[in-house]
Amino acid sequence: MSHDVRTPPIVSLGAGGIAGAIEAASTYPFEFAKTRVQLREQKGQPTPKNPFRVVAQVYTNEGLRALYKGCSTLVIGSVGKDGIRFLSFDTIKNYFKDPETGTLTPLRNLGAGMMSGVVASITCVTPTERIKTALIDDARNERRYRSMIHCIRTVVKEHGVIGLYHGFAGTTLKQAGATAFRMGTYNILKDYERKHDIPQSTLTNFANGSVAGIVTTLTTQPFDTIKTRCQSSRGATTVEAFRSVIADYGVRGFWKGTTMRLGRTVFSGGILFTSYEWAAALLNPLVVPKEEPLRG
């Protein structure tokens, strides 16, 4: 994601969508475990804190398919989310760049990421997260939903289209913060490496993405926890979700699922940005004339 060459919008959109699909599908069991932990515990069935134990427990009791309940929704959502996120980030950051150096300050990197996160939340993240969370919650309780489409139809029938936006405030806060720290941290690291002539490679991209994932998780976990409570199968308002977390666990409850989310974001951050750089390198020659340099 070099700043000296402007990436064509179609490349940002396509590469972001490809990267989002790869990242979501490859790390979904960790997302499943994290969501299970954040939802309210069933009486007499405390949820383990170790993500591997959660995955093993679900696999043993419910089978492999259960671990991927809601996965298709997340993959579809990630194609749109990350496509829009990379497109909007690349577009917004061009307006934030220093006209002389072509680079962004750390604060401007974070600002561009925050704005692109809001755009992504409004356009596709909130509805897809709502359906994914409802499917995961429903699978351990009532099992009302037969499929993703049936879940969407049921939610709309019972709550109207607004039902797809339960948890909008928490999701948008999470997306604004997560995209700011994830995209911002990644680009800050890339700028630092360019300045000190550190060669770029798959390993460098993966390491940068992993660091960005860790920073993102630790700073935005409370919003993620509230968002999950709001988007349970029955839904809840942001205030109700906030109060239920306090009632169940106290302030520490807002970081419920941090270990599981870290288990995912360390890998997902690396996979996302490595996949993006790879996809952008493949798509650029199809869009940019040969005499123009490719994104670094």
Side-chain angles (χ1 to χ4, degrees):
M1 295 175 69
S2 174
H3 296 301
D4 53 348
V5 179
R6 180 171 295 193
T7 305
I10 190 65
V11 173
S12 294
L13 183 64
I18 292 170
I22 293 172
E23 178 268 328
S26 59
T27 63
Y28 190 76
F30 282 106
E31 175 68 16
F32 179 94
K34 182 269 299 180
T35 302
R36 271 281 179 98
V37 167
Q38 289 176 329
L39 292 164
R40 303 195 89 157
E41 293 178 355
Q42 295 170 291
K43 289 184 178 180
Q45 298 181 31
T47 307
K49 294 182 180 180
N50 186 310
F52 296 100
R53 286 189 62 191
V54 174
V55 171
Q57 187 180 78
V58 173
Y59 174 75
T60 301
N61 297 332
E62 302 172 47
L64 180 62
R65 290 184 62 183
L67 284 173
Y68 284 88
K69 190 76 173 180
C71 181
S72 59
T73 304
L74 185 66
V75 169
I76 293 169
S78 293
V79 171
K81 174 189 72 175
D82 288 304
I84 292 171
R85 189 158 60 174
F86 277 100
L87 171 61
S88 58
F89 181 78
D90 281 341
T91 302
I92 293 168
K93 77 178 183 183
N94 286 325
Y95 292 99
F96 284 27
K97 284 181 180 177
D98 184 303
E100 295 183 1
T101 64
T103 59
L104 289 81
T105 64
L107 190 59
R108 288 187 177 189
N109 261 313
L110 294 174
M114 185 175 293
M115 292 178 67
S116 62
V118 172
V119 172
S121 178
I122 293 171
T123 53
C124 64
V125 176
T126 300
T128 55
E129 284 285 318
R130 163 68 163 128
I131 297 304
K132 178 214 72 177
T133 304
L135 283 168
I136 292 175
D137 190 27
D138 180 69
R140 67 174 190 154
N141 293 311
E142 301 173 80
R143 301 179 187 271
R144 293 194 303 154
Y145 305 137
R146 297 190 296 271
S147 65
M148 176 181 68
I149 300 300
H150 181 246
C151 179
I152 294 172
R153 288 175 176 171
T154 303
V155 169
V156 172
K157 181 180 178 180
E158 294 179 353
H159 305 286
V161 176
I162 196 68
L164 297 174
Y165 280 84
H166 276 166
F168 174 72
T171 303
T172 302
L173 286 171
K174 178 207 166 186
Q175 281 300 310
T179 308
F181 284 106
R182 174 169 277 194
M183 306 292 277
T185 300
Y186 184 81
N187 277 270
I188 289 168
L189 291 171
K190 294 279 284 187
D191 284 342
Y192 176 85
E193 290 161 358
R194 288 179 61 246
K195 184 178 179 180
H196 292 83
D197 296 321
I198 298 174
Q200 297 300 296
S201 65
T202 299
L203 182 60
T204 306
N205 292 332
F206 194 94
N208 290 344
S210 295
V211 171
I214 293 170
V215 172
T216 301
T217 298
L218 296 178
T219 53
T220 63
Q221 187 64 23
F223 299 128
D224 189 68
T225 302
I226 291 173
K227 182 261 315 175
T228 298
R229 286 291 180 95
C230 288
Q231 295 175 332
S232 60
S233 59
R234 290 298 181 182
T237 67
T238 300
V239 174
E240 288 170 346
F242 181 90
R243 288 175 175 170
S244 72
V245 173
I246 292 291
D248 289 348
Y249 306 110
V251 175
R252 293 179 63 183
F254 290 109
W255 276 267
K256 193 80 171 172
T258 297
T259 303
M260 279 148 212
R261 192 169 167 222
L262 274 174
R264 178 175 181 247
T265 54
V266 167
F267 293 105
S268 70
I271 292 169
L272 179 68
F273 287 105
T274 301
S275 299
Y276 178 83
E277 300 287 0
W278 168 76
L282 288 178
L283 296 175
N284 252 321
L286 304 177
V287 178
V288 182
K290 290 184 179 180
E291 66 270 19
E292 291 186 28
L294 297 181
R295 157 170 279 185

